[in-house]
Amino acid sequence: CTGAGTGTLTCAVAASGLGNPTGIAVSGSYAYVADGGTVSACTGAGTGTLTCAVAASGFPSAQGIAVSGSYAYVTDNSVGTVSACTGVGTGTLTCTQAASGLGNPVGIAVSGSYAYVTDNVAGTVSVCTGAGTGTLTCAVAASGFPSVQGIAVS
């Protein structure tokens, strides 16, 4: 979409062929898309047209994605995990479980050494330490958000 900050957005389809995209994160010229059982790496970020290919698979239900440094973090709400993926800046991601026991994690955002994860069933936000590494330690920090989905930090 163009027109950010003007009050009017003009949008067009930038990528097609994705199954059920639920999260997107941009790093450099790549956009990474959580898409059900896969994460796609799309080239052309910032150009208005994306060309996407599967970068990682094997997720029962990848929902949210955030990129920080050399890691992409992917929430999987069907198994209650966050995966840490290396290979940011390439078309291939290698992912391993970084945190578990999160209920139904959906949204994720990273700032510094912290990751923030939403749980849309429990209505909570967890704060995880260890962002920038392959292991996260998470604890509920806030509750009372029915059906919370996304999260952003700055």
Side-chain angles (χ1 to χ4, degrees), residues 13-30:
V13 173
S16 60
L18 298 167
N20 184 29
T22 53
I24 188 167
V26 176
S27 179
S29 63
Y30 281 89

Side-chain angles (χ1 to χ4, degrees), residues 11-94:
C11 301
V13 173
S16 60
L18 298 167
N20 184 29
T22 53
I24 188 167
V26 176
S27 179
S29 63
Y30 281 89
Y32 295 94
V33 181
D35 188 19
T38 65
V39 172
S40 293
C42 307
T43 57
T47 67
T49 302
L50 299 174
T51 302
C52 302
V54 173
S57 60
F59 297 98
S61 185
Q63 293 290 309
I65 187 164
V67 175
S68 180
S70 61
Y71 285 92
Y73 295 94
V74 180
T75 60
D76 191 321
N77 74 340
S78 70
V79 292
T81 62
V82 175
S83 293
C85 307
T86 57
V88 170
T90 72
T92 303
L93 297 176
T94 301

